[in-house]
Every structure is written in structure tokens, then in C-alpha cells.
């Protein structure tokens, strides 16, 4: 199992809808055999430039321990999720 940092920006929505999107990805990682070590919600921030007609986004950072297949599945789902503006998954240094 490897450690990863998963960061994503959620479109500005109601708080309940944003929580549902974050919960969706933490559950997806857990269902595929990974564990979410920590969840850091940075909150709503202004974007440096407009992305998909949005000027603000809700930032979330997840520190995850998982197999590469789990992370690949999370990346695939993030690419097709309309509620996300951007996402990035990097392998954390030990």
C-alpha cells in the first residue's frame, strides 16, 4: 500500500451537496480497499482563473493509503464527475 495525496475542487453548491460529493469519494476509496488517513477541507476559495464558468470552488485534500488500482479507479471516477472542476492525485513522499 502506498500513500497518496488527493486534492480536488468542487463546484460551488449548497453545503449538503458539497458534503455528498466529498463523502462519495471517501466511500469510493474505502470500497476499493484504501483508507482515508486524513481529510482537510480548505473551504471555498476564489480561483485564479475561471474554470467551467466558475470563479470559486470548494477545495478538499485527502491523504490516502491505497493500492495503485484503487487510486486509478478514483481518478477514473473523478474525470467523469460533473461536480468537480479539477482534481490531482500525487504519490506522497515517505
Amino acid at each position: 500500500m502506498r500513500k497518496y495525496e488527493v486534492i480536488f475542487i468542487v463546484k460551488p453548491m449548497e453545503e449538503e451537496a458539497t458534503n455528498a460529493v466529498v463523502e462519495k469519494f471517501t466511500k469510493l476509496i474505502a470500497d476499493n480497499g484504501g483508507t482515508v488517513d486524513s481529510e482537510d477541507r480548505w473551504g471555498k476559495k476564489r480561483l485564479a482563473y475561471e474554470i467551467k464558468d466558475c470563479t470559486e470552488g470548494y477545495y478538499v485534500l485527502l491523504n490516502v493509503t491505497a493500492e495503485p488500482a484503487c487510486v486509478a479507479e478514483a481518478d477514473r471516477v473523478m474525470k467523469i464527475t460533473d461536480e468537480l472542476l479539477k482534481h490531482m492525485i500525487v504519490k506522497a513522499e515517505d
Side-chain angles (χ1 to χ4, degrees), residues 14-53:
E14 296 293 324
E15 186 175 346
E16 295 168 2
T18 303
N19 289 338
V21 172
V22 174
E23 186 64 34
K24 171 184 175 180
F25 290 112
T26 55
K27 185 176 180 331
L28 176 72
I29 291 167
D31 289 347
N32 284 299
T35 58
V36 177
D37 301 328
S38 68
E39 177 182 312
D40 189 11
R41 296 181 185 218
W42 295 354
K44 191 181 281 190
K45 297 194 180 281
R46 184 168 176 79
L47 302 174
Y49 55 91
E50 197 171 282
I51 303 171
K52 297 181 185 175
D53 297 327

Side-chain angles (χ1 to χ4, degrees), residues 3 5 91-94:
K3 294 190 179 289
E5 289 182 354
K91 186 175 158 186
E93 295 182 16
D94 294 331

Side-chain angles (χ1 to χ4, degrees), residues 8-22 25 44 54 56-58 81-85:
F8 53 92
I9 306 171
V10 183
K11 282 184 179 178
M13 303 183 290
E14 296 293 324
E15 186 175 346
E16 295 168 2
T18 303
N19 289 338
V21 172
V22 174
F25 290 112
K44 191 181 281 190
C54 294
E56 289 185 331
Y58 191 88
T81 302
D82 292 333
E83 290 88 5
L84 294 188
L85 297 174

